[in-house]
Amino acid sequence: MSTRDYAIDVIKNLPEEKIIAFLTLFADENTLARMESERIRNDRSRKLYDSFDEVLEAIDSEDE
């Protein structure tokens, strides 16, 4: 088994949050941005809006 195979095996067994923490040490900004975009896209609890006005209303209500 090569060093790469061992590394892959270790990463496969890490929980998601540990993998993200690990990758932030070595990944470039584009890779990290893609990872964050995927995480947000797959988050079923994210808030969805029907219009930009609805977004602005939500922002205004957060400021209060």
Coordinates of all heavy atoms in Angstrom, one line a residue:
M1 N 0.9 -1.2 0.0 CA 0.0 0.0 0.0 C 0.9 1.2 0.0 O 1.8 1.3 0.8 CB -0.9 0.0 1.2 CG -2.0 0.9 1.2 SD -3.1 0.8 2.7 CE -4.6 0.5 1.9
S2 N 0.6 2.2 -0.9 CA 1.4 3.4 -1.0 C 1.0 4.4 0.1 O -0.1 4.3 0.7 CB 1.2 4.0 -2.4 OG -0.1 4.6 -2.5
T3 N 1.8 5.4 0.3 CA 1.5 6.5 1.2 C 0.2 7.2 0.8 O -0.6 7.5 1.7 CB 2.7 7.5 1.2 OG1 3.9 6.8 1.5 CG2 2.4 8.6 2.2
R4 N 0.0 7.4 -0.5 CA -1.2 8.0 -1.0 C -2.4 7.1 -0.6 O -3.5 7.7 -0.1 CB -1.2 8.1 -2.5 CG -2.4 8.8 -3.1 CD -2.3 8.9 -4.6 NE -1.1 9.7 -4.9 CZ -1.2 10.9 -5.5 NH1 -2.3 11.4 -5.8 NH2 -0.1 11.5 -5.7
D5 N -2.3 5.8 -0.7 CA -3.4 4.9 -0.3 C -3.7 5.0 1.2 O -4.9 5.0 1.6 CB -3.1 3.5 -0.7 CG -3.0 3.2 -2.2 OD1 -3.7 4.0 -2.9 OD2 -2.3 2.3 -2.6
Y6 N -2.7 5.1 2.0 CA -2.9 5.3 3.4 C -3.6 6.6 3.7 O -4.5 6.6 4.5 CB -1.6 5.2 4.2 CG -1.0 3.8 4.4 CD1 0.2 3.5 3.8 CD2 -1.7 2.8 5.1 CE1 0.7 2.2 3.9 CE2 -1.2 1.6 5.2 CZ 0.0 1.2 4.7 OH 0.5 0.0 4.8
A7 N -3.1 7.7 3.1 CA -3.8 9.0 3.3 C -5.2 9.0 2.9 O -6.1 9.5 3.6 CB -3.0 10.0 2.5
I8 N -5.5 8.4 1.8 CA -6.9 8.3 1.3 C -7.8 7.5 2.3 O -8.9 7.9 2.7 CB -7.0 7.7 -0.1 CG1 -6.4 8.6 -1.1 CG2 -8.4 7.3 -0.4 CD1 -6.2 8.1 -2.5
D9 N -7.2 6.4 2.8 CA -7.9 5.6 3.8 C -8.2 6.4 5.1 O -9.3 6.3 5.7 CB -7.1 4.3 4.1 CG -7.9 3.3 4.9 OD1 -9.1 3.0 4.4 OD2 -7.4 2.7 5.8
V10 N -7.2 7.1 5.5 CA -7.4 8.0 6.7 C -8.5 9.0 6.5 O -9.4 9.2 7.3 CB -6.1 8.7 7.1 CG1 -6.3 9.7 8.2 CG2 -5.1 7.6 7.6
I11 N -8.4 9.7 5.4 CA -9.4 10.7 5.1 C -10.8 10.1 5.0 O -11.8 10.7 5.4 CB -9.0 11.5 3.8 CG1 -7.8 12.4 4.1 CG2 -10.2 12.4 3.4 CD1 -7.2 13.0 2.9
K12 N -10.9 9.0 4.4 CA -12.3 8.3 4.2 C -12.9 8.0 5.6 O -14.1 8.0 5.7 CB -12.1 7.0 3.5 CG -12.0 7.1 2.0 CD -11.9 5.7 1.4 CE -11.8 5.7 -0.1 NZ -11.6 4.4 -0.7
N13 N -12.1 7.8 6.6 CA -12.6 7.5 7.9 C -12.9 8.7 8.8 O -13.3 8.5 9.9 CB -11.7 6.4 8.6 CG -11.8 5.1 7.8 OD1 -12.9 4.6 7.6 ND2 -10.6 4.6 7.5
L14 N -12.5 9.9 8.4 CA -12.7 11.0 9.2 C -14.2 11.5 9.0 O -14.8 11.4 8.0 CB -11.8 12.2 8.7 CG -10.3 12.0 9.0 CD1 -9.5 13.2 8.3 CD2 -10.1 12.0 10.5
P15 N -14.7 12.1 10.1 CA -16.0 12.8 10.0 C -15.9 14.0 9.1 O -14.8 14.6 8.9 CB -16.4 13.1 11.4 CG -15.2 13.0 12.2 CD -14.2 12.2 11.5
E16 N -17.0 14.4 8.5 CA -17.1 15.5 7.5 C -16.4 16.8 8.1 O -15.6 17.4 7.4 CB -18.5 15.8 7.2 CG -18.7 16.9 6.1 CD -18.5 16.4 4.7 OE1 -18.5 15.1 4.5 OE2 -18.4 17.2 3.8
E17 N -16.7 17.2 9.3 CA -16.1 18.4 9.8 C -14.6 18.3 10.0 O -13.9 19.3 9.8 CB -16.8 18.8 11.2 CG -16.6 17.8 12.3 CD -17.6 16.7 12.3 OE1 -18.5 16.7 11.5 OE2 -17.6 15.9 13.2
K18 N -14.0 17.1 10.3 CA -12.6 17.0 10.3 C -11.9 17.0 9.0 O -10.9 17.6 8.8 CB -12.2 15.6 11.0 CG -12.7 15.5 12.4 CD -11.8 16.2 13.3 CE -12.2 16.0 14.8 NZ -11.3 16.6 15.7
I19 N -12.6 16.5 8.0 CA -12.1 16.6 6.6 C -12.0 18.0 6.1 O -11.0 18.5 5.6 CB -13.0 15.8 5.6 CG1 -12.9 14.3 6.0 CG2 -12.5 16.0 4.2 CD1 -13.9 13.4 5.2
I20 N -13.1 18.8 6.4 CA -13.1 20.2 6.1 C -12.0 21.0 6.8 O -11.3 21.7 6.1 CB -14.5 20.8 6.4 CG1 -15.5 20.2 5.4 CG2 -14.4 22.4 6.2 CD1 -17.0 20.6 5.8
A21 N -11.8 20.7 8.0 CA -10.7 21.4 8.8 C -9.4 21.0 8.2 O -8.5 21.9 8.1 CB -10.8 21.0 10.3
F22 N -9.2 19.8 7.9 CA -7.9 19.3 7.3 C -7.7 20.0 5.9 O -6.6 20.5 5.7 CB -8.0 17.8 7.1 CG -6.8 17.2 6.4 CD1 -5.6 17.1 7.0 CD2 -6.9 16.9 5.0 CE1 -4.5 16.5 6.3 CE2 -5.8 16.3 4.3 CZ -4.6 16.2 5.0
L23 N -8.7 20.0 5.1 CA -8.5 20.6 3.7 C -8.3 22.1 3.8 O -7.6 22.6 2.9 CB -9.7 20.3 2.9 CG -9.9 18.8 2.4 CD1 -11.2 18.6 1.7 CD2 -8.7 18.4 1.6
T24 N -8.8 22.8 4.8 CA -8.6 24.2 4.8 C -7.1 24.5 5.0 O -6.6 25.6 4.7 CB -9.4 24.9 5.9 OG1 -9.1 24.3 7.2 CG2 -10.9 24.8 5.7
L25 N -6.3 23.6 5.5 CA -4.9 23.8 5.7 C -4.1 23.7 4.4 O -3.1 24.3 4.2 CB -4.3 22.7 6.7 CG -4.9 22.7 8.1 CD1 -4.3 21.5 8.8 CD2 -4.5 24.0 8.8
F26 N -4.7 22.9 3.4 CA -3.9 22.7 2.2 C -4.6 23.1 0.9 O -3.9 23.2 -0.1 CB -3.6 21.1 2.1 CG -2.8 20.6 3.3 CD1 -3.4 19.9 4.3 CD2 -1.5 20.9 3.4 CE1 -2.7 19.5 5.4 CE2 -0.7 20.5 4.5 CZ -1.4 19.8 5.5
A27 N -5.9 23.2 0.9 CA -6.6 23.5 -0.4 C -6.5 25.0 -0.8 O -6.4 25.9 0.1 CB -8.1 23.1 -0.3
D28 N -6.5 25.3 -2.1 CA -6.5 26.6 -2.5 C -7.8 27.3 -2.3 O -8.8 26.6 -2.1 CB -6.0 26.7 -4.0 CG -6.9 26.0 -4.9 OD1 -8.1 26.3 -4.9 OD2 -6.4 25.1 -5.6
E29 N -7.9 28.6 -2.5 CA -9.2 29.3 -2.3 C -10.3 28.9 -3.2 O -11.5 28.8 -2.8 CB -8.9 30.8 -2.4 CG -8.1 31.4 -1.2 CD -8.0 32.9 -1.3 OE1 -8.8 33.6 -2.0 OE2 -7.0 33.4 -0.8
N30 N -10.0 28.5 -4.4 CA -11.0 28.1 -5.4 C -11.7 26.8 -4.9 O -12.9 26.6 -5.0 CB -10.5 28.0 -6.8 CG -10.1 29.3 -7.4 OD1 -10.8 30.3 -7.1 ND2 -9.2 29.3 -8.3
T31 N -10.8 25.9 -4.5 CA -11.3 24.6 -4.0 C -12.2 24.8 -2.8 O -13.3 24.2 -2.7 CB -10.2 23.6 -3.7 OG1 -9.4 23.5 -4.9 CG2 -10.7 22.3 -3.2
L32 N -11.7 25.6 -1.8 CA -12.5 25.9 -0.6 C -13.9 26.5 -1.0 O -14.9 26.2 -0.4 CB -11.7 26.7 0.3 CG -10.5 26.1 0.9 CD1 -9.7 27.1 1.7 CD2 -10.8 24.8 1.7
A33 N -13.9 27.4 -1.9 CA -15.1 28.1 -2.3 C -16.1 27.1 -3.0 O -17.3 27.1 -2.7 CB -14.8 29.2 -3.3
R34 N -15.5 26.2 -3.8 CA -16.4 25.2 -4.4 C -17.0 24.2 -3.3 O -18.2 23.9 -3.4 CB -15.6 24.3 -5.4 CG -15.3 25.1 -6.7 CD -14.9 24.2 -7.8 NE -13.9 23.1 -7.4 CZ -12.6 23.2 -7.6 NH1 -12.0 24.3 -8.0 NH2 -11.9 22.2 -7.2
M35 N -16.2 23.9 -2.3 CA -16.6 23.0 -1.2 C -17.8 23.7 -0.5 O -18.8 23.1 -0.2 CB -15.5 22.7 -0.3 CG -14.5 21.7 -0.8 SD -13.1 21.5 0.3 CE -13.8 21.3 1.9
E36 N -17.6 25.0 -0.2 CA -18.6 25.8 0.5 C -19.9 25.9 -0.3 O -21.0 25.8 0.2 CB -18.1 27.2 0.9 CG -19.0 27.9 1.7 CD -18.5 29.3 2.2 OE1 -17.4 29.7 1.8 OE2 -19.2 29.9 3.0
S37 N -19.7 26.1 -1.6 CA -20.9 26.2 -2.4 C -21.7 24.9 -2.5 O -22.9 24.9 -2.4 CB -20.5 26.6 -3.9 OG -19.9 27.8 -3.9
E38 N -21.0 23.8 -2.5 CA -21.6 22.5 -2.5 C -22.4 22.2 -1.2 O -23.5 21.8 -1.1 CB -20.6 21.4 -2.7 CG -20.2 21.2 -4.1 CD -21.4 20.5 -5.0 OE1 -22.0 19.6 -4.5 OE2 -21.6 21.0 -6.1
R39 N -21.7 22.6 -0.1 CA -22.3 22.4 1.2 C -23.6 23.2 1.4 O -24.6 22.7 1.8 CB -21.3 22.8 2.3 CG -21.8 22.6 3.7 CD -20.8 23.0 4.8 NE -20.4 24.4 4.6 CZ -21.2 25.5 5.0 NH1 -22.3 25.2 5.6 NH2 -20.8 26.7 4.9
I40 N -23.5 24.5 0.9 CA -24.7 25.3 1.0 C -25.8 24.8 0.1 O -27.0 24.7 0.5 CB -24.3 26.8 0.6 CG1 -23.4 27.4 1.7 CG2 -25.6 27.6 0.4 CD1 -22.8 28.7 1.3
R41 N -25.5 24.4 -1.1 CA -26.4 23.9 -2.1 C -27.1 22.6 -1.5 O -28.3 22.4 -1.7 CB -25.8 23.6 -3.4 CG -26.8 23.1 -4.4 CD -26.1 22.9 -5.7 NE -25.2 21.8 -5.6 CZ -25.1 20.9 -6.6 NH1 -25.8 20.9 -7.7 NH2 -24.2 19.9 -6.4
N42 N -26.4 21.8 -0.8 CA -27.0 20.5 -0.3 C -27.6 20.6 1.1 O -28.2 19.7 1.6 CB -25.9 19.5 -0.3 CG -25.4 19.1 -1.6 OD1 -26.2 19.1 -2.6 ND2 -24.1 18.8 -1.8
D43 N -27.6 21.8 1.7 CA -28.1 22.1 3.0 C -29.7 22.2 2.9 O -30.2 23.2 2.4 CB -27.6 23.3 3.6 CG -28.1 23.6 5.0 OD1 -28.8 22.8 5.6 OD2 -27.7 24.6 5.6
R44 N -30.4 21.2 3.3 CA -31.8 21.2 3.2 C -32.5 22.2 4.1 O -33.7 22.6 3.9 CB -32.4 19.8 3.5 CG -31.9 18.8 2.5 CD -32.8 17.7 2.3 NE -32.3 16.6 1.5 CZ -32.5 16.6 0.2 NH1 -33.3 17.5 -0.4 NH2 -32.0 15.6 -0.6
S45 N -31.8 22.7 5.1 CA -32.4 23.7 6.1 C -32.2 25.1 5.7 O -32.6 26.0 6.4 CB -31.9 23.4 7.5 OG -30.5 23.7 7.5
R46 N -31.5 25.4 4.5 CA -31.3 26.7 4.1 C -32.5 27.4 3.8 O -33.5 26.8 3.4 CB -30.3 26.8 3.0 CG -30.9 26.4 1.6 CD -29.8 26.4 0.6 NE -30.3 26.1 -0.7 CZ -30.6 24.9 -1.2 NH1 -30.4 23.8 -0.5 NH2 -31.1 24.8 -2.4
K47 N -32.6 28.8 4.0 CA -33.7 29.6 3.7 C -33.8 29.9 2.2 O -32.8 30.3 1.6 CB -33.7 30.9 4.5 CG -34.7 31.9 4.2 CD -36.1 31.4 4.7 CE -37.1 32.6 4.5 NZ -38.3 32.2 3.9
L48 N -34.9 29.7 1.6 CA -35.1 30.0 0.2 C -36.0 31.2 0.1 O -36.9 31.4 0.9 CB -35.7 28.8 -0.6 CG -34.8 27.5 -0.5 CD1 -35.6 26.4 -1.2 CD2 -33.5 27.8 -1.2
Y49 N -35.8 32.0 -0.9 CA -36.6 33.2 -1.1 C -37.2 33.2 -2.5 O -36.7 32.7 -3.5 CB -35.7 34.5 -1.0 CG -35.0 34.6 0.4 CD1 -33.8 34.1 0.6 CD2 -35.7 35.2 1.4 CE1 -33.2 34.2 1.8 CE2 -35.1 35.3 2.7 CZ -33.9 34.8 2.9 OH -33.3 34.8 4.1
D50 N -38.4 33.8 -2.6 CA -39.1 33.9 -3.9 C -38.8 35.1 -4.7 O -39.1 35.2 -5.9 CB -40.7 33.8 -3.6 CG -41.1 32.5 -3.1 OD1 -40.5 31.4 -3.5 OD2 -42.0 32.4 -2.2
S51 N -38.3 36.1 -4.0 CA -37.9 37.4 -4.7 C -36.8 38.1 -4.0 O -36.5 37.8 -2.8 CB -39.2 38.3 -4.8 OG -39.5 38.8 -3.5
F52 N -36.2 39.0 -4.7 CA -35.2 39.8 -4.1 C -35.7 40.7 -3.0 O -35.1 41.0 -2.0 CB -34.4 40.7 -5.1 CG -33.2 41.4 -4.6 CD1 -32.1 40.7 -4.2 CD2 -33.2 42.7 -4.5 CE1 -31.0 41.3 -3.7 CE2 -32.1 43.4 -4.0 CZ -31.0 42.7 -3.6
D53 N -37.0 41.2 -3.2 CA -37.6 42.0 -2.1 C -37.8 41.2 -0.8 O -37.6 41.8 0.3 CB -39.0 42.5 -2.6 CG -39.0 43.5 -3.7 OD1 -37.9 44.3 -3.7 OD2 -39.9 43.6 -4.5
E54 N -38.1 39.9 -0.9 CA -38.2 39.1 0.2 C -36.8 39.0 1.0 O -36.7 39.0 2.2 CB -38.7 37.7 -0.2 CG -39.1 36.9 1.0 CD -39.7 35.5 0.6 OE1 -40.2 35.4 -0.6 OE2 -39.6 34.6 1.3
V55 N -35.7 38.9 0.2 CA -34.4 38.9 0.8 C -34.1 40.2 1.5 O -33.6 40.2 2.7 CB -33.3 38.7 -0.3 CG1 -31.9 38.9 0.2 CG2 -33.5 37.4 -1.0
L56 N -34.4 41.3 0.9 CA -34.2 42.6 1.6 C -35.0 42.8 2.8 O -34.5 43.3 3.8 CB -34.6 43.8 0.6 CG -33.7 43.9 -0.6 CD1 -34.2 45.0 -1.5 CD2 -32.2 44.2 -0.2
E57 N -36.3 42.3 2.8 CA -37.1 42.3 4.0 C -36.5 41.4 5.1 O -36.4 41.8 6.3 CB -38.5 41.8 3.7 CG -39.3 42.7 2.9 CD -40.7 42.1 2.5 OE1 -41.1 41.1 3.2 OE2 -41.3 42.6 1.6
A58 N -35.9 40.3 4.8 CA -35.3 39.4 5.8 C -34.0 40.1 6.4 O -33.8 40.1 7.6 CB -34.9 38.1 5.2
I59 N -33.3 40.8 5.5 CA -32.1 41.5 6.0 C -32.5 42.7 6.9 O -31.9 42.8 8.0 CB -31.3 42.1 4.8 CG1 -30.6 40.9 4.0 CG2 -30.2 43.1 5.3 CD1 -30.0 41.3 2.7
D60 N -33.5 43.4 6.5 CA -34.0 44.5 7.4 C -34.5 44.0 8.8 O -34.2 44.6 9.8 CB -35.1 45.3 6.7 CG -34.6 46.2 5.6 OD1 -33.4 46.5 5.6 OD2 -35.4 46.6 4.7
S61 N -35.2 42.9 8.8 CA -35.7 42.3 10.0 C -34.6 41.8 10.9 O -34.7 41.8 12.1 CB -36.7 41.2 9.8 OG -36.1 40.1 9.2
E62 N -33.4 41.4 10.3 CA -32.3 40.9 11.1 C -31.6 42.1 11.8 O -31.1 41.9 12.9 CB -31.3 40.2 10.2 CG -31.7 38.8 9.8 CD -30.7 38.2 8.8 OE1 -29.6 38.8 8.6 OE2 -31.0 37.1 8.3
D63 N -31.6 43.2 11.2 CA -31.0 44.4 11.8 C -31.7 44.9 13.0 O -31.2 45.6 13.8 CB -30.9 45.5 10.8 CG -29.9 45.2 9.7 OD1 -29.0 44.3 9.9 OD2 -29.9 45.8 8.6
E64 N -33.0 44.6 13.2 CA -33.8 45.1 14.3 C -33.6 44.3 15.5 O -33.1 43.3 15.7 CB -35.3 45.1 13.9 CG -35.6 46.0 12.7 CD -37.0 45.9 12.2 OE1 -37.8 45.0 12.7 OE2 -37.3 46.6 11.3

